Amino acid sequence: MKVIKTTMHIALLTFTLTGCVSKSLDSQAQSGNVNAQYLLAKKSEKSKDYVNAFNWYQKAAKAGDAKSMHELGYLYQTGKGTTKNESKAFDWYAKSAENGNSNAMYRVANAYRRGILTVSKDPKKAEYWFTKSLKADNDNLRHAYLTLGIMNKKGEAGTVSNSKAVNYLLKAIKLPMQNLEGFAAFEQDTDIELAKSIVKEIYSSNREYYNNQLIVSSYVQDILGHPTRFFKIAFEPSNKKPIILTDIKFNNGNCNVYPPLSNQKKHDPYLWQQYNYGQEITLDQGDCLNIYKIEFDTLNYGPIKVTQ
């Protein structure tokens, strides 16, 4: 009985505190607290009360909040909670971008590249704002890198630069995957595959083959009481230019290979990475019992076969 009373007391206290916090947030917003206004707007937007969201974003934006300026621009662009107005949408995106919001920078760049939101196409301005948007808090960071890669490959801003294109595209590929669902997750995967295909296209027209690109050695190490075979790979291209490793197959792809236990990640940290002369990586044999063939696929040199 005592446990039941205690549980009810905690539940009542939680409800009371939640109510107080909500009431406090509302009163703070009413008194002009910009952060509270933004939070209330976001809360209203999540509950699809776009009119209320628009009103609070507008108050916070006019008070100078860059995040609210961006969200207000989005509501004007989509016509949620207000009359659709692409000119005002761009104006608020631009104000937000000038105040340091990376998401707004991306939207301004996209508008100049595509010639939308009542502005004319301007590739140089697009490149400028895409470059400015390359910050960790940009929700479209991967796509910003991808777009800059495409722009440099095509020379949209006036100059073709395959080296810059590859640099941007590899950054798009190597960004950590986000835990997204539905179309957002699909779009993320599509961006990565498109970036990979463009990098391959750039390299395929100038692929060179050399001997002794890789030196492969093996050793046995005791891991948690189990002897485990490791392979150490040193990258030594003859011309000492960096190479990009795209794939590793043991036993012609019929077994799995892992990075060392201390370095395991959700996504293989070795693929699609750039390696310099003499740089080394170490791989665990994983499920491979009898190693008879190792294949490495690199963009610079193509498939390399090492027989054990």
Side-chain angles (χ1 to χ4, degrees), residues 174-283:
K174 292 188 283 187
L175 274 178
M177 296 283 282
Q178 296 171 282
N179 293 321
L180 303 175
E181 296 180 359
F183 183 77
F186 170 78
E187 189 175 50
Q188 176 177 246
D189 289 337
T190 301
D191 284 350
I192 294 172
E193 291 308 311
L194 178 58
K196 286 181 177 181
S197 68
I198 297 171
V199 174
K200 283 187 175 181
E201 181 186 338
I202 291 172
Y203 272 86
S204 64
S205 60
N206 189 31
R207 178 177 283 183
E208 301 172 344
Y209 293 86
Y210 296 88
N211 294 321
N212 303 317
Q213 304 94 317
L214 305 175
I215 295 176
V216 181
S217 60
S218 65
Y219 63 97
V220 177
Q221 182 176 330
D222 190 275
I223 302 293
L224 303 176
H226 299 283
T228 304
R229 189 179 182 189
F230 287 80
F231 290 87
K232 201 170 191 178
I233 302 108
F235 296 83
E236 296 194 357
S238 302
N239 63 354
K240 299 187 178 182
K241 290 181 180 180
I243 67 174
I244 300 167
L245 181 62
T246 64
D247 194 18
I248 304 172
K249 291 181 180 178
F250 278 54
N251 282 2
N252 201 27
N254 294 323
C255 60
N256 297 319
V257 181
Y258 308 103
L261 294 176
S262 61
N263 194 32
Q264 286 190 18
K265 298 179 181 178
K266 181 178 179 182
H267 300 280
D268 193 329
Y270 299 127
L271 304 186
W272 286 89
Q273 301 295 305
Q274 182 169 288
Y275 292 92
N276 295 311
Y277 178 78
Q279 190 170 344
E280 295 181 343
I281 64 172
T282 303
L283 296 172

